Amino acid sequence: MAVEMLSYIQRESPVHRLTGVTKLVCFMIWSSIAMLTYDTRVLFFLFLFSIYVFIISKVKLKEVAFVLLFILFFLLINNLAIYAFSPQEGVEIYGTSHVLLDLDSGRYSLTLEQLFYQLNVTLKYFTVIPAALLFIVTTNPSEFAASLNRIGISYRISYAVALALRYIPDVQRDFRTISLSQQARGIDMSRKEKLPKRIKNAASIIIPLILSSLDKIEIISNAMELRGFGKNKKRTWYRARPFQTIDIITISLFVVILVVSLVVTFHDGNRFYNPF
């Protein structure tokens, strides 16, 4: 059976035992730190800590490998774009220039400062990506919706988000089913076929997938309307869980990490750590 991407993975782990509210708050704190700081020491600590959390979550790497490779591909493109459009950004930030590779154009000379700056950008990705993946695959969509509603977001929006998360594995299953059906009819999607032909044949999968998705959306919308969804101002949640000791300890730990990270980052008035 194929592994479904970005779907809830049930495990018995400390991360899974946390409530959806706790994981949402911790993820928001984690993302805020990663966005605010360019301090390499803070980013490297967050990167190591995220690996530790990933390990104790008992989520297997192969279960999120495709998404990781997909993100790493765009990270590579991002780094190339940064160097192509702003090859001296590191020099401007750190105020020095240590040339490693002197090119004729001068502007595109490779400097140690630029490499260090792009290392920090890469660390920011490596800090946020594991946390985002863990948040998605270790949080039940219904519990996540209850968490959003608990922090003040309308239950209509919360329920829409939960439906979107639940629909991800459904789309993947429909895609595989339609793909196998079309291949049984003689449409070749393998690497034996030329790329232009494979792209053309992909339309025979995408169009039925879109139509089936629209049909499901209409069925769900009609069912919700018939049941009076949205009539009341509030609603209860079946999967909502009360706070436990582990939730309080975890949120407190992340608040401490936030405070320490901000102090380390801004103690000299600059969010960039300058080793030069």
Side-chain angles (χ1 to χ4, degrees), residues 1-264:
M1 183 177 177
V3 177
E4 294 173 351
M5 297 177 294
L6 298 179
S7 59
Y8 175 61
I9 301 173
Q10 179 64 49
R11 293 283 192 279
E12 285 295 328
S13 74
V15 179
H16 286 78
R17 285 197 294 270
L18 297 173
T19 65
V21 175
T22 300
K23 282 181 273 193
L24 178 60
V25 171
C26 291
F27 177 66
M28 293 173 64
I29 292 174
W30 197 261
S31 301
S32 299
I33 299 172
M35 287 187 292
L36 288 172
T37 187
Y38 270 92
D39 193 301
T40 313
R41 299 164 297 182
V42 174
L43 290 172
F44 190 68
F45 167 77
L46 295 179
F47 171 59
L48 294 178
F49 191 76
S50 64
I51 293 177
Y52 169 73
V53 175
F54 193 91
I55 292 173
I56 66 173
S57 71
K58 298 182 181 179
V59 175
K60 298 177 182 178
L61 186 60
K62 65 180 180 180
E63 293 173 322
V64 294
F66 181 83
V67 180
L68 281 175
L69 291 175
F70 188 75
I71 295 173
L72 289 176
F73 172 72
F74 279 94
L75 174 59
L76 175 62
I77 295 178
N78 182 60
N79 272 307
L80 292 175
I82 290 174
Y83 185 74
F85 292 101
S86 187
Q88 299 300 315
E89 183 70 20
V91 174
E92 295 178 8
I93 291 172
Y94 300 112
T96 59
S97 178
H98 297 80
V99 178
L100 299 176
L101 182 61
D102 192 7
L103 301 178
D104 294 336
S105 61
R107 169 177 166 79
Y108 286 99
S109 295
L110 184 62
T111 63
L112 188 61
E113 286 78 4
Q114 183 68 18
L115 288 179
F116 187 70
Y117 167 69
Q118 296 196 212
L119 169 66
N120 289 325
V121 173
T122 303
L123 278 175
K124 289 167 81 72
Y125 274 85
F126 285 159
T127 296
V128 175
I129 289 171
L133 289 177
L134 278 182
F135 177 67
I136 294 173
V137 302
T138 63
T139 307
N140 185 285
S142 296
E143 187 183 348
F144 179 44
S147 304
L148 291 175
N149 186 229
R150 191 169 181 178
I151 63 174
I153 297 176
S154 169
Y155 75 84
R156 299 173 182 85
I157 298 175
S158 303
Y159 200 80
V161 173
L163 284 177
L165 291 176
R166 284 186 177 279
Y167 198 54
I168 292 174
D170 290 340
V171 171
Q172 295 175 60
R173 283 193 294 268
D174 289 346
F175 179 85
R176 287 195 295 268
T177 302
I178 296 171
S179 177
L180 292 174
S181 300
Q182 298 292 43
Q183 291 179 51
R185 293 181 174 90
I187 297 178
D188 192 2
M189 297 294 296
S190 67
R191 296 181 179 180
K192 296 179 182 179
E193 193 64 78
K194 294 182 180 179
L195 182 60
K197 184 67 174 178
R198 287 166 60 190
I199 295 175
K200 183 179 179 180
N201 290 342
S204 63
I205 300 176
I206 300 300
I207 294 176
L209 181 63
I210 293 174
L211 293 177
S212 65
S213 299
L214 293 175
D215 186 51
K216 287 184 178 180
I217 291 171
E218 184 178 3
I219 292 173
I220 294 173
S221 299
N222 290 335
M224 293 173 66
E225 186 176 356
L226 288 172
R227 286 165 175 79
F229 181 82
K231 179 181 178 181
N232 300 320
K233 293 183 179 181
K234 295 183 180 180
R235 62 161 292 170
T236 57
W237 298 90
Y238 177 72
R239 293 305 300 263
R241 289 190 293 161
F243 267 43
Q244 299 177 344
T245 304
I246 188 174
D247 297 291
I248 298 173
I249 293 174
T250 302
I251 292 178
S252 301
L253 174 62
F254 272 73
V255 170
V256 170
I257 293 175
L258 172 63
V259 173
V260 173
S261 300
L262 293 179
V263 169
V264 172

